[in-house]
Amino acid sequence: MLKRGDVHVPISWDEALGIIADRIQGNPAGFAFYGSGQWTIPEGYAAQKFMKGGLANNHIDPNARLCMASAVTGFISTYGVDEPASCFDDLEHANVVILWGNNPAEMHPILFSRMIDRRARGEDLRIIDIGTRRTRTTGFADDYLEFRPQSDIAILNGILHLLVEDGTYDREFVERHVAFRREEDAPDLMGVATDFETFRAAMSEYTPERVQELSGVPAAKIRMLAGLFADRDLRITSLWCMGGNQHTRGTGVNRQIHAIHLLSGHWGRQGDGPQSLTGQPSACGTAREVGTLSHALPGGLLVANPEHRHHAEEIWNLPEGRINATPGAHTVEMWRRFSTAASEGGDIDTIWVQVTNPAQSLPNTKALFEPSRSIPGKFLIVSDVYPTATARAADLILPSAMWVEKNGMVGNSERRTQQWFKMVNPPGEARDDAWQVIAVARKLLDRGHLGMRDKDGRFLFH
């Protein structure tokens, strides 16, 4: 449906595909793609290959940028790779599960049922809920620690302080497996090498009493948490989600959760380790593993790395140099440039949105979304199933197929890939998102766009 005046009117698929091709050809550098962890793996892969392998344009990002950036940078800067240290089966073996600012009873009910089912079988499982407000999860918890917003990092530092000062950290594990690094004067995310004594000094002020002042959590509760981590006969699983990630110091919170498990040796055994939870079904499989991020390529590769670009070009059979070496605009920058006039630096004039609703979910929509709707020359394309706020604001709406109406795969928080098969046909002329992307690529190919051919002259999606 194409917006004419103030109303959307039906048009054919051929006309819709032609309009998108026109926008791309009119300003290829000003075209952007915005998706999410609700893309299936094939759909995200198609969008990724179309943008970076076909258009040589890195302006593609998912809303996972907003929800998972802290978890990703926490993993990378702790372990050197964006991979979780635990898996969901640990919930079957843990003696203690600590929930750092999340509400799995409502947000991850299947996972939470695995914990509650253990109790129903008579197994001993202690659940500790650490949050800023009571939730449905709190009613199942053995302990509830309520902290002032933004002070959870003080709680984490307080546990580290006690492990060090009481000498209850796992010395053997630390000596064998742990390196200490600091952020100050570091050239990049990975920090610079330091030593145990420098770390100890950094934690020295976080006594239980000081943490109580900062967080409102009683000092006795901080000692209780440190005592649990001091007991290596226990198996402790830490879970966190948006409470730890969407935070002014989200990367720091993630790092300190990892640090507690590493310092205490509660790492790498069944039921023992840190596990971040993901809110969308394929934020890990599609956003992170497929690399539908403005700086990334599939398989954890980076567009800024010449060897990584060369490897991706070999896999995709592209001419050397096709992949752009400059990272594209990340989510916030993408929408800022879309909601700014071209004369003021707003060089992105077209965004294609799939599987997300930025008019409702972006931070500060009054600055990042709404202005674009009144700036001449800005064009918003939305593929969706429902008349969302974004679809209602779109210039062009494409009818998508729901998950039961197509084949697909997702990759979840523990990197498990799950496949399913179409159960019913989509209604009317609705099409899955991968078909839509490939159909636009075919339209561009028919118009002679060289980027839609590989180095042997075949269609990019042959």
Side-chain angles (χ1 to χ4, degrees), residues 86-148:
S86 300
C87 65
F88 294 155
D89 282 351
D90 286 329
L91 297 174
E92 309 293 341
H93 303 280
N95 306 113
V96 179
V97 174
I98 302 178
L99 308 172
W100 299 93
N102 64 327
N103 176 21
E106 293 179 89
M107 300 297 102
H108 291 84
I110 304 302
L111 287 181
F112 194 68
S113 69
R114 294 176 69 167
M115 302 182 228
I116 303 308
D117 286 351
R118 287 187 58 196
R119 286 181 170 179
R121 295 194 298 266
E123 298 179 27
D124 184 25
L125 174 64
R126 184 173 181 178
I127 298 175
I128 301 174
D129 181 25
I130 304 176
T132 58
R133 61 184 177 88
R134 291 180 176 270
T135 66
R136 187 175 296 173
T137 301
T138 310
F140 294 91
D142 299 278
D143 303 270
Y144 171 58
L145 283 62
E146 185 169 307
F147 62 88
R148 298 188 188 101

Side-chain angles (χ1 to χ4, degrees), residues 86-215:
S86 300
C87 65
F88 294 155
D89 282 351
D90 286 329
L91 297 174
E92 309 293 341
H93 303 280
N95 306 113
V96 179
V97 174
I98 302 178
L99 308 172
W100 299 93
N102 64 327
N103 176 21
E106 293 179 89
M107 300 297 102
H108 291 84
I110 304 302
L111 287 181
F112 194 68
S113 69
R114 294 176 69 167
M115 302 182 228
I116 303 308
D117 286 351
R118 287 187 58 196
R119 286 181 170 179
R121 295 194 298 266
E123 298 179 27
D124 184 25
L125 174 64
R126 184 173 181 178
I127 298 175
I128 301 174
D129 181 25
I130 304 176
T132 58
R133 61 184 177 88
R134 291 180 176 270
T135 66
R136 187 175 296 173
T137 301
T138 310
F140 294 91
D142 299 278
D143 303 270
Y144 171 58
L145 283 62
E146 185 169 307
F147 62 88
R148 298 188 188 101
Q150 306 289 336
S151 66
D152 45 348
I153 201 163
I155 299 170
L156 294 159
N157 288 347
I159 296 169
L160 291 166
H161 167 87
L162 287 171
L163 289 171
V164 170
E165 295 306 319
D166 294 347
T168 52
Y169 67 95
D170 190 331
R171 293 176 183 270
E172 181 182 355
F173 185 90
V174 169
E175 288 173 2
R176 291 179 61 192
H177 303 296
V178 176
F180 294 88
R181 304 184 73 82
R182 60 182 174 82
E183 282 186 307
E184 290 83 3
D185 304 319
D188 56 33
L189 180 69
M190 304 306 292
V192 294
T194 185
D195 55 28
F196 176 79
E197 290 305 320
T198 302
F199 170 75
R200 181 177 194 160
M203 296 297 105
S204 62
E205 71 173 283
Y206 293 96
T207 64
E209 291 71 28
R210 176 60 175 150
V211 173
Q212 179 175 315
E213 285 181 33
L214 294 168
S215 69

Side-chain angles (χ1 to χ4, degrees), residues 14 19 76 166 190 289 297 300 305 334-335 346 351 385 406 414 430 433:
D14 188 62
I19 290 170
I76 291 174
D166 294 347
M190 304 306 292
E289 291 175 355
L297 290 164
N305 186 311
M334 177 190 297
W335 288 97
I351 294 183
V385 175
K406 60 191 176 186
E414 60 172 356
D433 292 348

Side-chain angles (χ1 to χ4, degrees), residues 268-331:
R269 304 182 300 179
Q270 280 190 325
D272 225 11
Q275 172 69 48
S276 70
L277 298 177
T278 302
Q280 299 182 100
S282 199
C284 293
T286 305
R288 291 152 79 173
E289 291 175 355
V290 173
T292 54
L293 296 142
S294 60
H295 67 283
L297 290 164
L301 307 184
L302 303 174
V303 298
N305 186 311
E307 293 182 6
H308 292 184
R309 291 196 306 276
H310 179 68
H311 181 64
E313 287 167 347
E314 284 189 329
I315 295 292
W316 285 339
N317 196 39
L318 301 177
E320 186 175 351
R322 170 75 63 80
I323 296 174
N324 191 331
T326 303
H330 60 68
T331 292

